[in-house]
Each structure stands twice: as C-alpha cells, then as structure tokens.
Amino acid sequence: MKAVAFHSPGTPDVLQIMEFDPPVPKLNQVRVKVKAAGVQPVDCAIRGQGFSPPGVEIRYPQILGNEFAGIIDVVGAGGVEDFSVGDEVIGWSLLSSYAEYVVVPTSQIVKKPKSMSWEEAGVFTASGQTAHTALQELGIGKGDTLLVHAAAGGVGTFAVQLARAWGGATVIGTASPNNHDYLRTLGAIPVTYGEGLVERVRKLAPNGIDAALDAAGEEALRASIELIQDKKRIGTIVAFDLSNELGTIPIRSKRSVFRLSELTQMYEKGLLRVFLSQTFPLHRLPMHTELLRLGTFEVKLLS
C-alpha cells in the first residue's frame, strides 16, 4: 500500500510516498480502506522535531496521521460484532492514518453519519474529541461565559459550538479580524487577540469570565490568569509547561468511542458543523504539510 512516511525528522521535504505491506487485522480489529484523513499540528511536531506523543514509540520509516474516515474492507478473525465489510466509519489511529489502509480495534471507530461527507469525516475525530474533553474538564454549562483563544482554529471551532449546544453558554472567541464574521456564524462574540486583549474582554463581559480554553499559547494563557480567579477553570491544550507553573489545567484529549459517538449524534442533529479550508490528494501531502505552521486546518483525500 502507499503511505506518507519519513526516515528522520526535518522540513516537509523529508516526507515521501512509500510502499508498505498492507496491514492485516487481528482479533477485535478491522481494516479500513481510507477515504480521507485529517492533517493536524501534532503531525508537524512529529515530522519536524521528532516529537513522540506519550506512550507512542517512533519507528522509522514512520507513517504520520492520527484520524481517518473510510470503508471497512476486511474484518479480523473474531470478536467483531457491530461492524461488517462495507461499513463506512470514522475513527483514530496514531501514526498510521496517512495511508491507503489502516487497521484498528473496533473500540476506535464509529459509523459515519450518512449526511457527513468524506472530507468532513476525515477531520472530525481529533479536534472534536479534544474540544469535547476540554469543555468537560472545565465544567462548561448553562450560564457560563467561556473565553476561547484561537476560536477560529480546528479545536476552537468545535469548542465554540459545543459550549453553545450544551446549554447556551456565552462564548467570547479570540481571532484575527478577518475571522470575526466566521465566529459570529458559530454563535461566538469575536475579539481581536494581541496587546490590550484583557481590557477588550472585560468590556465585552462586564460580569466576568467563568472559564477559558487556550489553544493559542503562552500569551493567551497569561491573559486568562488575569481574567479568571479559579485556575481550575483555565485549561490549555498547547502550553503545558507554563500551565504546570501557573497551576492551570493541562488538557490532553481523552478519546473514546462514547465521546465520538456523542459528537456524531450532535452532527446528525445539526448541532455541529465542520469547516474545511483546503483538500488535496495523498501525493501532494508533503508539500502542503508546511502550511500547518500558519494554523491552516486541512484534510487530505486518498481517493
């Protein structure tokens, strides 16, 4: 099978289309013919810096990608009850998804909603579950005012929609001015990031901010400290070292079938939308991965 992989960390040109033996499913596993897979910032960190996610060993040549959507083409020898050949599914599989085929346990897939396109399905899992995890850990609910930093990004987009859907929380989202109209369509109150952010947020929320989710970095996390007294209602998905220093919550996605199922059900009810900036075929992935340094939210197509 064809897959995008690299022999050593470096710039995007280290990525190559390589040939691998097709994976074979075992007990409780299925093989999925991948139709689309999301491109995430963690892929750039692994490719560029040799970063290894907790509990994951990098083995060269290393395939990239951690979320996918596709069609089951082989079922393992046993233990698979709820899925069959031909089922359309979405799921996650660390360091294996930029490939024509991926093998996963059934505990990492759910059936794709019929109304969801392959492009949408390819980027649904990672950002959606990260945002869901974050809002649960921050205890977001009805009556809260939530500040989301980098609200127009992948995780931010899901976080805004989930906070609104879970009880109509008021959401203030930081973004560049050209993304303000986009945030309004999601139900957020936009605010420009950068110098003077704390003062601008206070004007928008004279009664105060209850919680904050940082998807931007150090400056955003420090601003949140000035706005919110309870540090256990301030979370970050990027600035982990500073979070430990300040006493806020470092948040890592806790993926599960139950979490992903809830998200797909919300999509089917029209409570969640997926927004794509660009799609491109597998053979063009190496030249496009560099765009993630600019925060571009993308998907690659494999067929």
Side-chain angles (χ1 to χ4, degrees), residues 155-240:
V155 173
T157 290
F158 276 100
V160 170
Q161 295 179 89
L162 288 170
R164 297 289 298 156
W166 282 355
T170 298
V171 181
I172 297 174
T174 72
S176 59
N178 62 328
N179 281 321
H180 284 193
D181 286 343
Y182 166 65
L183 290 185
R184 292 187 184 98
T185 68
L186 300 180
I189 301 169
V191 61
T192 303
Y193 53 75
E195 186 177 352
L197 173 62
V198 171
E199 290 71 24
R200 289 192 292 275
V201 171
R202 284 175 175 156
K203 288 182 180 179
L204 292 171
N207 293 324
I209 302 294
D210 298 297
L213 171 60
D214 163 40
E218 179 176 333
E219 183 178 338
L221 191 57
R222 292 190 185 279
S224 300
I225 289 287
E226 292 187 51
L227 291 162
I228 301 162
Q229 289 187 340
D230 186 355
K231 292 183 179 180
K232 296 306 178 184
R233 299 207 73 190
I234 302 172
T236 181
I237 63 170
V238 289
F240 296 123

Side-chain angles (χ1 to χ4, degrees), residues 1-23 47 58-64 95-101 282-286 300 302:
M1 70 168 185
K2 291 182 173 61
V4 173
F6 65 110
H7 288 285
S8 61
T11 57
D13 57 10
V14 302
L15 297 178
Q16 302 175 40
I17 304 296
M18 300 184 190
E19 288 286 345
F20 292 84
D21 291 333
R47 182 269 302 157
I58 304 295
R59 295 182 177 180
Y60 298 109
Q62 180 62 63
I63 299 173
L64 284 174
L95 298 178
S96 62
S97 299
Y98 292 2
E100 291 182 297
Y101 297 94
L282 178 63
H283 70 274
R284 293 181 63 197
L285 177 66
K300 67 184 180 69
L302 299 180

